[in-house]
């Protein structure tokens, strides 16, 4: 497993994790450009992201969700409450683009 903090703080949060061949972004509180640049600094291509999990509805964790999804195509996963907040800020993010789960659920990616 490899974990890389792309940014942490009140101006935005985003953590990249690679585990079992899956490339996952946790939170998109930064721009798509910042995601691309910071992943490239570590030798990763943002277009290879498998999933983006948004932990909660605060903008420092979610403001880049729609743009990151449209730019790089990762699957989206978040709770319904978080989806409503993200969709309100970016109506282009539709519920059929999102794996909606309940807090405490187990979510599997691939095998």
């Amino acid at each position: 497993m490899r974990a890389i903090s792309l940014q942490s703080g009140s101006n935005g949060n985003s953590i990249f994790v690679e585990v079992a061949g899956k490339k996952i972004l946790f939170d998109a509180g930064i721009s798509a450009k910042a995601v691309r640049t910071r992943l490239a600094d570590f030798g990763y291509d943002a277009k290879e992201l498998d999933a983006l999990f948004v932990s909660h509805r605060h903008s420092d964790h979610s403001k880049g969700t729609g743009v990151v999804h449209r730019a790089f195509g990762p699957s989206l996963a978040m709770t319904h409450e978080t989806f409503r907040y993200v969709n309100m800020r970016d109506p282009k993010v539709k519920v059929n683009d999102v794996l909606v789960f309940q807090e405490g659920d187990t979510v599997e990616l691939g095998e």
Side-chain angles (χ1 to χ4, degrees):
M1 182 175 104
R2 185 173 189 195
I4 301 167
S5 176
L6 302 181
Q7 183 162 315
S8 178
S10 60
N11 290 331
N13 293 279
S14 189
I15 297 173
F16 169 79
V17 175
E18 182 179 26
V19 61
K22 298 293 182 187
K23 296 173 179 77
I24 306 164
L25 195 63
F26 288 92
D27 291 333
I30 59 177
S31 70
K33 180 180 179 181
V35 169
R36 180 179 44 248
T37 301
R38 293 172 190 178
L39 284 176
D41 288 345
F42 291 94
Y44 291 99
D45 182 347
K47 290 191 180 265
E48 295 178 351
L49 287 170
D50 294 298
L52 166 55
F53 281 77
V54 182
S55 64
H56 62 285
R57 64 186 195 154
H58 292 160
S59 64
D60 61 321
H61 292 264
S62 64
K63 65 185 166 194
T65 299
V67 178
V68 168
H69 174 63
R70 289 187 294 277
F72 310 126
S75 300
L76 296 175
M78 63 193 82
T79 65
H80 184 69
E81 179 181 326
T82 301
F83 164 73
R84 286 193 343 231
Y85 178 81
V86 167
N87 175 258
M88 184 175 56
R89 293 179 55 92
D90 185 345
K92 292 180 183 177
V93 177
K94 303 293 185 195
V95 73
N96 59 347
D97 294 332
V98 179
L99 168 61
V100 177
F101 60 89
Q102 297 290 326
E103 185 176 319
D105 282 355
T106 298
V107 177
E108 293 185 24
L109 297 174
E111 295 182 21

